[in-house]
Amino acid sequence: MISFMLDSNVWEKAICPDDYPDGEDYRELNKKIMSATGVEFYLSATIFDLEDIRRKDRLVELKAYNPSFKTEIKQDGDIINMRFTIGPSSFPYKQNPKLSKHAMMAFNTGFKVVASSRVGIPINPLREQSTIDLTNEQNEKISEVSEFIEQLGSGMASLNSVLTKYGIKKGNLLSMIKALPQDAIKPFSDAVSEWADGDTVAACIGMDIDYLVTNDMAGKAGSKSIFYKDNIQKLISKYPQFKIITPSDMLSLL
């Protein structure tokens, strides 16, 4: 059994090449995917939960978002136990017709979404029915990889840099985002993209998926990107099982 995780800049073209000007380059890959047997295909939850929020709206909408809090009290004799749980709540995702179409085609083909390990982040209902929940072991592994990516200055480190720039140093993730001023719209949006890329890589490694398929060459973000060549080399040194390939490489493997 061979497994692939397709990045956000690959999967839609591979699923529905006719919807893109450069789709001709993906038609053979599409045929291979549609007829593949003994192959597992995955997407990261960040594609739906974070990257589906329009860049210009990311700060405004996440500032307005509030996760759900639940309190559970149990009494056993004289002992009272109280448990607090934080989880996702309703979020105003826009109905993107193209994304919805491509997602349904991917899910009908057998693609699965790897759940996010971030607590309280909104969940896009578009991907809920095709999401694989994480085991404790997988969650711990993904968290470990995420921390390493952050040490490289990538992934969540980009968001931490924005928060530090605006003097925001205390609080949980969502409360710190709420403290950002409106003039942080662009740097915040850029940071969310790097955060999403980092979480995608962490999910791929944490789930022991064989290959991450991407076209990302860190062209804009440079060393801030987890796909920057030096960061990839360090990542592979730490996790030698991690393999990053292009769509052309994937075609040759199917």
Side-chain angles (χ1 to χ4, degrees), residues 5-253:
M5 174 172 276
L6 278 65
D7 196 10
S8 56
N9 53 41
V10 172
W11 77 275
E12 290 184 88
K13 293 178 181 180
I15 287 296
C16 201
D18 292 341
D19 284 353
Y20 296 91
D22 58 346
E24 185 67 35
D25 298 335
Y26 289 83
R27 287 198 175 94
E28 285 303 313
L29 180 58
N30 174 264
K31 290 177 184 178
K32 290 279 191 176
I33 290 173
M34 295 302 173
S35 61
T37 57
V39 183
E40 294 178 342
F41 301 106
Y42 295 94
L43 301 172
S44 169
T46 63
I47 288 172
F48 303 95
D49 299 347
L50 295 176
E51 294 178 295
D52 190 33
I53 306 171
R54 292 183 300 184
R55 294 180 66 89
K56 68 183 183 67
D57 296 333
R58 286 175 181 172
L59 180 57
V60 173
E61 294 191 355
L62 284 171
K63 277 168 68 76
Y65 169 73
N66 292 302
S68 68
F69 288 90
K70 295 181 181 179
T71 303
E72 183 181 3
I73 300 175
K74 289 185 178 181
Q75 184 168 355
D76 184 6
D78 296 331
I79 300 175
I80 297 177
N81 295 310
M82 184 175 293
R83 180 182 180 185
F84 296 95
T85 304
I86 182 172
S89 63
S90 178
F91 186 86
Y93 286 103
K94 309 296 189 294
Q95 293 299 317
N96 182 333
K98 182 181 283 190
L99 180 66
S100 299
K101 170 189 172 183
H102 297 167
M104 290 306 102
M105 292 181 69
F107 300 154
N108 289 338
T109 305
F111 276 67
K112 297 296 181 183
V113 179
V114 178
S116 174
S117 61
R118 303 287 180 184
V119 175
I121 297 300
I123 291 176
N124 192 327
L126 182 61
R127 60 92 168 167
E128 280 189 284
Q129 298 304 312
S130 296
T131 299
I132 299 174
D133 291 326
L134 302 173
T135 64
N136 288 336
E137 183 178 355
Q138 289 167 339
N139 197 31
E140 289 174 2
K141 183 68 173 181
I142 290 172
S143 295
E144 174 199 309
V145 180
S146 294
E147 289 179 9
F148 182 74
I149 289 172
E150 189 173 333
Q151 291 170 13
L152 297 176
S154 303
M156 187 61 79
S158 294
L159 178 55
N160 291 337
S161 294
V162 174
L163 294 170
T164 300
K165 175 184 176 181
Y166 287 93
I168 303 166
K169 299 178 180 179
K170 294 183 179 180
N172 60 49
L173 175 61
L174 290 170
S175 68
M176 289 192 290
I177 289 174
K178 287 179 182 293
L180 283 169
Q182 287 304 108
D183 66 352
I185 286 177
K186 186 181 186 306
F188 176 76
S189 180
D190 292 343
V192 169
S193 295
E194 299 310 319
W195 164 12
D197 286 346
D199 278 13
T200 295
V201 171
C204 186
I205 296 173
M207 292 288 291
D208 288 323
I209 297 170
D210 294 319
Y211 299 97
L212 175 63
V213 189
T214 185
N215 282 316
D216 198 323
M217 303 299 290
K220 293 182 180 180
S223 60
K224 293 181 181 179
S225 171
I226 188 55
F227 295 115
Y228 184 65
K229 60 180 181 178
D230 289 350
N231 291 335
I232 288 295
Q233 289 173 358
K234 292 174 183 176
L235 196 65
I236 292 173
S237 294
K238 176 75 172 178
Y239 302 102
Q241 77 274 21
F242 177 61
K243 300 179 183 67
I244 183 168
I245 62 173
T246 66
S248 296
D249 297 327
M250 181 181 179
L251 180 60
S252 67
L253 289 167

